[in-house]
Amino acid sequence: MDFYSPIQSVYYKGLSIDIKRDDLIDPIISGNKWRKLKWNIAEAKKNDKNHLITFGGAFSNHLIATAALSAKSGFKSTAFVRGEKVNNHMLLLCELYGMDLRFVDRTLYKDKNQLFETYFGDNNSAYFIDEGGAGELAVKGCAEIIGELTTFYQHIVCAAGTGTTVAGLLKGIHLHQKQTKLHVIPVLKPSGFIKEEIETYQKDLSLLRLHPDFHFGGYAKTTDELLKFIKDFASETGVLLDPIYTGKAMFALISLIGHNVVPKSDKILFIHTGGLLGLFGKQEEFREIL
Ligand SMILES: *Cc1c(COP(=O)(O)O)cnc(C)c1O
Protein backbone atom coordinates (compact mmCIF):
# COMPACT_ATOMS: atom_id res chain seq x y z
CA MET A 1 0.00 0.00 0.00
CA ASP A 2 1.28 3.46 -0.85
CA PHE A 3 -0.92 5.13 1.72
CA TYR A 4 -1.67 4.77 5.41
CA SER A 5 -5.10 3.64 6.60
CA PRO A 6 -4.59 1.41 9.63
CA ILE A 7 -7.26 -0.22 11.74
CA GLN A 8 -7.30 1.11 15.29
CA SER A 9 -9.25 -0.43 18.17
CA VAL A 10 -10.80 2.09 20.51
CA TYR A 11 -12.62 1.54 23.77
CA TYR A 12 -15.60 3.74 24.47
CA LYS A 13 -18.08 3.25 27.30
CA GLY A 14 -17.13 -0.40 27.69
CA LEU A 15 -17.36 -1.11 23.95
CA SER A 16 -14.57 -2.19 21.65
CA ILE A 17 -14.80 -0.75 18.15
CA ASP A 18 -12.34 -1.12 15.30
CA ILE A 19 -11.96 2.00 13.19
CA LYS A 20 -10.60 1.99 9.63
CA ARG A 21 -8.68 5.24 9.77
CA ASP A 22 -9.15 6.50 6.20
CA ASP A 23 -8.99 9.97 7.75
CA LEU A 24 -5.25 9.39 8.19
CA ILE A 25 -4.64 8.95 4.44
CA ASP A 26 -4.19 12.71 4.18
CA PRO A 27 -5.12 15.64 6.41
CA ILE A 28 -6.76 17.51 3.53
CA ILE A 29 -7.59 14.89 0.88
CA SER A 30 -10.11 13.41 3.20
CA GLY A 31 -10.66 9.64 3.45
CA ASN A 32 -13.45 8.71 1.12
CA LYS A 33 -12.85 11.66 -1.19
CA TRP A 34 -9.37 10.26 -1.82
CA ARG A 35 -10.89 6.83 -2.52
CA LYS A 36 -13.35 8.41 -4.94
CA LEU A 37 -10.76 10.50 -6.78
CA LYS A 38 -7.98 7.94 -6.98
CA TRP A 39 -9.13 6.13 -10.15
CA ASN A 40 -10.46 9.33 -11.67
CA ILE A 41 -6.98 10.83 -11.50
CA ALA A 42 -5.53 7.66 -13.03
CA GLU A 43 -8.09 7.81 -15.84
CA ALA A 44 -7.33 11.49 -16.50
CA LYS A 45 -3.61 10.73 -16.71
CA LYS A 46 -4.26 7.81 -19.05
CA ASN A 47 -6.14 10.15 -21.37
CA ASP A 48 -3.47 12.86 -21.23
CA LYS A 49 -5.73 15.26 -19.39
CA ASN A 50 -4.25 17.46 -16.69
CA HIS A 51 -7.04 19.83 -15.72
CA LEU A 52 -9.78 18.60 -13.39
CA ILE A 53 -13.14 20.33 -13.66
CA THR A 54 -15.53 19.65 -10.83
CA PHE A 55 -18.56 20.88 -8.87
CA GLY A 56 -19.67 21.37 -5.29
CA GLY A 57 -21.15 23.48 -2.54
CA ALA A 58 -19.10 26.11 -0.71
CA PHE A 59 -18.31 23.75 2.20
CA SER A 60 -17.65 20.70 0.08
CA ASN A 61 -15.03 18.20 1.25
CA HIS A 62 -14.89 17.07 -2.36
CA LEU A 63 -13.73 20.47 -3.64
CA ILE A 64 -10.90 20.79 -1.18
CA ALA A 65 -9.85 17.18 -1.82
CA THR A 66 -9.84 17.79 -5.57
CA ALA A 67 -7.85 21.02 -5.17
CA ALA A 68 -5.22 19.36 -2.98
CA LEU A 69 -4.92 16.19 -5.04
CA SER A 70 -4.68 18.22 -8.26
CA ALA A 71 -1.84 20.29 -6.88
CA LYS A 72 -0.09 17.14 -5.64
CA SER A 73 -0.47 15.47 -9.05
CA GLY A 74 0.72 18.48 -11.05
CA PHE A 75 -2.78 19.09 -12.40
CA LYS A 76 -4.79 22.27 -12.74
CA SER A 77 -8.23 22.42 -11.15
CA THR A 78 -11.38 24.44 -11.66
CA ALA A 79 -14.53 24.22 -9.57
CA PHE A 80 -18.02 25.45 -10.24
CA VAL A 81 -19.28 26.42 -6.81
CA ARG A 82 -23.02 26.43 -6.16
CA GLY A 83 -24.53 29.77 -5.18
CA GLU A 84 -23.34 33.33 -4.57
CA LYS A 85 -19.73 34.18 -3.97
CA VAL A 86 -18.75 33.53 -0.36
CA ASN A 87 -15.55 33.19 1.64
CA ASN A 88 -14.85 30.42 4.11
CA HIS A 89 -12.00 28.27 5.39
CA MET A 90 -12.66 25.51 2.84
CA LEU A 91 -12.61 27.80 -0.19
CA LEU A 92 -9.53 29.56 1.16
CA LEU A 93 -7.69 26.25 1.17
CA CYS A 94 -8.97 25.48 -2.34
CA GLU A 95 -7.48 28.75 -3.56
CA LEU A 96 -4.18 28.14 -1.78
CA TYR A 97 -3.93 24.94 -3.81
CA GLY A 98 -4.44 26.98 -6.97
CA MET A 99 -8.01 25.98 -7.70
CA ASP A 100 -9.93 28.36 -9.95
CA LEU A 101 -13.32 28.99 -8.30
CA ARG A 102 -16.32 29.98 -10.40
CA PHE A 103 -19.52 30.74 -8.53
CA VAL A 104 -22.67 29.88 -10.44
CA ASP A 105 -26.31 30.42 -9.51
CA ARG A 106 -28.36 27.42 -8.51
CA THR A 107 -30.26 27.13 -11.78
CA LEU A 108 -27.16 27.05 -13.95
CA TYR A 109 -25.44 24.78 -11.47
CA LYS A 110 -28.06 22.07 -11.97
CA ASP A 111 -26.86 21.22 -15.47
CA LYS A 112 -23.26 20.27 -14.86
CA ASN A 113 -22.72 18.71 -18.25
CA GLN A 114 -23.88 21.93 -19.86
CA LEU A 115 -21.49 24.02 -17.73
CA PHE A 116 -18.63 21.77 -18.71
CA GLU A 117 -19.62 21.92 -22.38
CA THR A 118 -19.94 25.72 -22.36
CA TYR A 119 -16.64 26.51 -20.70
CA PHE A 120 -14.44 23.50 -21.41
CA GLY A 121 -16.05 21.77 -24.39
CA ASP A 122 -13.13 22.58 -26.67
CA ASN A 123 -10.41 22.19 -24.03
CA ASN A 124 -8.49 18.96 -24.64
CA SER A 125 -6.86 18.91 -21.24
CA ALA A 126 -10.12 19.20 -19.28
CA TYR A 127 -11.42 16.17 -17.37
CA PHE A 128 -14.96 16.15 -15.92
CA ILE A 129 -15.46 14.94 -12.36
CA ASP A 130 -19.02 14.93 -11.09
CA GLU A 131 -20.10 16.58 -7.82
CA GLY A 132 -18.79 14.60 -4.89
CA GLY A 133 -16.68 12.52 -7.28
CA ALA A 134 -19.62 10.20 -8.04
CA GLY A 135 -19.47 7.42 -10.62
CA GLU A 136 -18.15 3.96 -11.48
CA LEU A 137 -14.51 4.89 -10.80
CA ALA A 138 -15.42 6.26 -7.38
CA VAL A 139 -17.25 3.05 -6.51
CA LYS A 140 -14.22 1.03 -7.60
CA GLY A 141 -11.97 3.05 -5.29
CA CYS A 142 -14.29 2.64 -2.30
CA ALA A 143 -14.71 -1.10 -2.89
CA GLU A 144 -10.97 -1.48 -2.34
CA ILE A 145 -11.42 -0.76 1.36
CA ILE A 146 -12.86 -4.29 1.77
CA GLY A 147 -9.84 -5.85 0.07
CA GLU A 148 -7.55 -4.26 2.67
CA LEU A 149 -9.22 -6.04 5.59
CA THR A 150 -7.36 -9.00 7.02
CA THR A 151 -9.94 -10.12 9.57
CA PHE A 152 -13.63 -10.84 9.16
CA TYR A 153 -16.16 -8.34 10.45
CA GLN A 154 -19.81 -9.21 11.00
CA HIS A 155 -20.70 -5.52 10.73
CA ILE A 156 -19.32 -2.52 8.87
CA VAL A 157 -20.72 0.92 9.65
CA CYS A 158 -20.41 3.99 7.42
CA ALA A 159 -21.99 7.41 6.86
CA ALA A 160 -23.68 8.23 3.55
CA GLY A 161 -24.27 11.49 1.70
CA THR A 162 -24.88 10.55 -1.93
CA GLY A 163 -24.40 6.85 -1.19
CA THR A 164 -21.53 6.30 -3.62
CA THR A 165 -19.08 5.33 -0.88
CA VAL A 166 -21.40 2.75 0.67
CA ALA A 167 -22.24 1.44 -2.82
CA GLY A 168 -18.52 0.74 -3.16
CA LEU A 169 -18.36 -0.94 0.23
CA LEU A 170 -21.30 -3.22 -0.57
CA LYS A 171 -19.76 -4.05 -3.93
CA GLY A 172 -16.49 -4.88 -2.19
CA ILE A 173 -18.28 -7.11 0.33
CA HIS A 174 -19.80 -9.09 -2.54
CA LEU A 175 -16.59 -9.19 -4.58
CA HIS A 176 -14.80 -10.72 -1.61
CA GLN A 177 -17.77 -13.00 -0.87
CA LYS A 178 -18.15 -11.87 2.69
CA GLN A 179 -21.33 -12.07 4.74
CA THR A 180 -20.68 -8.73 6.41
CA LYS A 181 -23.75 -6.64 7.16
CA LEU A 182 -23.32 -3.07 5.94
CA HIS A 183 -24.94 -0.51 8.24
CA VAL A 184 -25.47 2.80 6.48
CA ILE A 185 -26.21 6.07 8.24
CA PRO A 186 -27.65 8.68 5.85
CA VAL A 187 -26.84 12.24 6.96
CA LEU A 188 -29.58 13.83 4.86
CA LYS A 189 -33.20 13.77 5.95
CA PRO A 190 -34.67 12.39 2.72
CA SER A 191 -32.68 9.21 2.24
CA GLY A 192 -34.75 7.11 -0.16
CA PHE A 193 -32.39 7.89 -3.03
CA ILE A 194 -29.53 6.08 -1.32
CA LYS A 195 -30.96 2.65 -2.05
CA GLU A 196 -31.27 3.58 -5.72
CA GLU A 197 -27.72 4.89 -5.82
CA ILE A 198 -26.42 1.66 -4.30
CA GLU A 199 -28.56 -0.48 -6.64
CA THR A 200 -26.95 1.18 -9.66
CA TYR A 201 -23.75 -0.60 -8.73
CA GLN A 202 -24.81 -3.58 -6.63
CA LYS A 203 -28.15 -5.34 -7.21
CA ASP A 204 -28.15 -7.64 -4.18
CA LEU A 205 -29.11 -5.50 -1.17
CA SER A 206 -29.66 -8.34 1.30
CA LEU A 207 -26.65 -7.33 3.42
CA LEU A 208 -27.63 -3.65 3.48
CA ARG A 209 -29.08 -2.15 6.67
CA LEU A 210 -30.21 1.49 6.35
CA HIS A 211 -30.63 3.50 9.54
CA PRO A 212 -32.34 6.73 8.44
CA ASP A 213 -33.05 8.26 11.86
CA PHE A 214 -29.66 9.72 12.69
CA HIS A 215 -29.59 12.82 10.46
CA PHE A 216 -30.03 15.20 13.46
CA GLY A 217 -32.40 17.47 11.57
CA GLY A 218 -30.84 17.20 8.11
CA TYR A 219 -27.67 17.83 6.17
CA ALA A 220 -25.09 19.82 8.18
CA LYS A 221 -27.59 20.30 11.01
CA THR A 222 -26.37 19.53 14.50
CA THR A 223 -27.78 19.30 18.01
CA ASP A 224 -26.14 19.85 21.38
CA GLU A 225 -26.39 16.12 22.00
CA LEU A 226 -24.38 15.37 18.85
CA LEU A 227 -21.73 18.01 19.58
CA LYS A 228 -21.35 16.81 23.17
CA PHE A 229 -20.96 13.26 21.89
CA ILE A 230 -18.20 14.33 19.49
CA LYS A 231 -16.40 16.07 22.34
CA ASP A 232 -16.79 13.10 24.66
CA PHE A 233 -15.65 10.62 22.01
CA ALA A 234 -12.56 12.69 21.16
CA SER A 235 -11.57 13.15 24.79
CA GLU A 236 -12.13 9.46 25.65
CA THR A 237 -10.51 7.86 22.57
CA GLY A 238 -8.27 10.49 20.98
CA VAL A 239 -10.17 10.11 17.70
CA LEU A 240 -11.81 13.20 16.21
CA LEU A 241 -15.08 12.87 14.34
CA ASP A 242 -16.62 15.50 12.09
CA PRO A 243 -20.09 16.99 12.76
CA ILE A 244 -21.49 16.40 9.25
CA TYR A 245 -20.78 12.70 8.61
CA THR A 246 -18.65 10.58 10.92
CA GLY A 247 -19.98 12.08 14.17
CA LYS A 248 -23.54 11.14 13.20
CA ALA A 249 -22.49 7.67 12.06
CA MET A 250 -20.55 6.91 15.25
CA PHE A 251 -23.41 8.23 17.39
CA ALA A 252 -25.70 5.88 15.46
CA LEU A 253 -23.38 2.92 16.00
CA ILE A 254 -23.23 3.45 19.76
CA SER A 255 -27.03 3.66 19.81
CA LEU A 256 -27.45 0.54 17.62
CA ILE A 257 -25.17 -1.40 19.94
CA GLY A 258 -27.17 -0.09 22.91
CA HIS A 259 -30.38 -1.44 21.36
CA ASN A 260 -28.68 -4.71 20.44
CA VAL A 261 -29.33 -4.15 16.71
CA VAL A 262 -25.58 -4.60 16.45
CA PRO A 263 -24.56 -7.09 19.19
CA LYS A 264 -21.57 -5.80 21.08
CA SER A 265 -19.89 -9.23 21.13
CA ASP A 266 -19.72 -9.19 17.27
CA LYS A 267 -16.74 -7.87 15.33
CA ILE A 268 -17.58 -4.33 14.25
CA LEU A 269 -15.69 -2.05 11.88
CA PHE A 270 -16.41 1.67 11.62
CA ILE A 271 -15.18 3.42 8.48
CA HIS A 272 -13.73 6.83 9.33
CA THR A 273 -14.33 8.66 6.07
CA GLY A 274 -12.48 11.82 7.20
CA GLY A 275 -14.03 15.25 6.75
CA LEU A 276 -12.41 16.77 9.83
CA LEU A 277 -12.17 20.24 8.28
CA GLY A 278 -15.94 20.33 8.79
CA LEU A 279 -15.24 20.88 12.50
CA PHE A 280 -14.15 24.43 11.75
CA GLY A 281 -17.52 25.22 10.20
CA LYS A 282 -19.19 24.60 13.58
CA GLN A 283 -16.89 26.53 15.91
CA GLU A 284 -19.65 28.72 17.35
CA GLU A 285 -21.92 25.75 17.99
CA PHE A 286 -19.11 23.86 19.76
CA ARG A 287 -18.28 26.89 21.90
CA GLU A 288 -21.80 26.80 23.26
CA ILE A 289 -21.60 23.26 24.59
CA LEU A 290 -18.09 23.50 26.09
C1 LIG B 1 -18.52 13.13 1.32
C2 LIG B 1 -18.40 12.41 2.61
C3 LIG B 1 -19.20 11.29 2.93
C4 LIG B 1 -20.31 10.81 2.04
O1 LIG B 1 -19.87 10.16 0.90
P1 LIG B 1 -20.91 9.73 -0.22
O2 LIG B 1 -20.12 8.89 -1.15
O3 LIG B 1 -21.41 10.99 -0.86
O4 LIG B 1 -22.02 9.00 0.42
C5 LIG B 1 -18.98 10.63 4.13
N1 LIG B 1 -18.04 11.08 5.01
C6 LIG B 1 -17.28 12.15 4.75
C7 LIG B 1 -16.30 12.58 5.77
C8 LIG B 1 -17.43 12.85 3.55
O5 LIG B 1 -16.66 13.93 3.31
Side-chain angles (χ1 to χ4, degrees):
M1 273 195 278
D2 55 350
F3 58 93
Y4 185 65
S5 171
I7 288 174
Q8 179 187 354
S9 301
V10 301
Y11 298 91
Y12 181 72
K13 301 224 187 293
L15 307 172
S16 169
I17 300 162
D18 283 4
I19 303 183
K20 176 80 168 145
R21 297 290 308 269
D22 265 15
D23 58 312
L24 296 180
I25 291 175
D26 187 277
I28 305 291
I29 311 165
S30 202
N32 73 327
K33 300 305 184 287
W34 181 83
R35 301 270 181 193
K36 290 167 94 172
L37 284 170
K38 184 182 163 199
W39 289 105
N40 272 299
I41 291 265
E43 184 69 16
K45 280 191 181 142
K46 212 172 86 187
N47 292 297
D48 285 325
K49 312 233 181 241
N50 62 4
H51 187 170
L52 304 183
I53 317 296
T54 197
F55 309 83
F59 283 94
S60 163
N61 288 329
H62 165 67
L63 289 192
I64 176 67
T66 305
L69 195 54
S70 293
K72 210 171 176 172
S73 313
F75 281 32
K76 288 206 281 187
S77 62
T78 297
F80 290 97
V81 187
R82 185 180 58 233
E84 275 156 42
K85 183 166 168 41
V86 288
N87 291 311
N88 65 41
H89 64 286
M90 301 295 270
L91 295 176
L92 170 68
L93 286 170
C94 287
E95 289 198 279
L96 290 180
Y97 283 118
M99 183 175 249
D100 174 22
L101 301 178
R102 302 190 187 183
F103 295 87
V104 288
D105 74 51
R106 281 156 205 276
T107 324
L108 277 179
Y109 183 85
K110 283 203 181 106
D111 197 345
K112 303 183 183 68
N113 289 308
Q114 186 58 52
L115 278 172
F116 183 83
E117 229 9 82
T118 307
Y119 295 97
F120 295 97
D122 57 359
N123 182 332
N124 285 332
S125 63
Y127 182 82
F128 177 97
I129 298 185
D130 208 346
E131 176 169 13
E136 194 76 53
L137 294 172
V139 168
K140 179 179 172 187
C142 295
E144 289 176 346
I145 294 173
I146 305 298
E148 291 164 23
L149 307 179
T150 52
T151 50
F152 175 71
Y153 289 94
Q154 277 124 322
H155 309 271
I156 291 182
V157 181
C158 187
T162 61
T164 307
T165 301
V166 290
L169 291 173
L170 194 61
K171 192 159 185 176
I173 288 170
H174 281 274
L175 278 174
H176 293 274
Q177 300 180 333
K178 307 274 196 207
Q179 284 301 315
T180 304
K181 291 191 182 84
L182 179 66
H183 297 269
V184 171
I185 321 302
V187 302
L188 284 89
K189 200 188 278 185
S191 56
F193 64 90
I194 289 190
K195 236 185 193 149
E196 289 165 35
E197 171 70 8
I198 298 175
E199 257 183 327
T200 314
Y201 303 101
Q202 173 59 53
K203 294 283 170 261
D204 182 353
L205 301 184
S206 57
L207 294 168
L208 177 68
R209 301 288 181 275
L210 269 180
H211 303 286
D213 298 325
F214 295 96
H215 53 70
F216 290 85
Y219 183 70
K221 298 273 196 303
T222 56
T223 65
D224 286 358
E225 191 186 22
L226 175 67
L227 300 177
K228 282 186 185 142
F229 168 73
I230 289 172
K231 192 223 165 204
D232 194 52
F233 194 85
S235 58
E236 291 291 318
T237 66
V239 176
L240 281 174
L241 301 166
D242 81 289
I244 318 290
Y245 296 101
T246 54
K248 292 180 180 181
M250 185 62 88
F251 185 102
L253 172 57
I254 304 297
S255 166
L256 292 172
I257 295 173
H259 291 93
N260 209 30
V261 177
V262 176
K264 73 172 183 188
S265 52
D266 284 1
K267 285 281 281 174
I268 305 162
L269 181 70
F270 180 88
I271 311 291
H272 197 317
T273 43
L276 295 177
L277 291 171
L279 284 165
F280 298 107
K282 297 284 179 196
Q283 290 179 70
E284 306 284 310
E285 289 86 342
F286 273 111
R287 282 276 152 242
E288 291 195 0
I289 60 104
L290 294 179

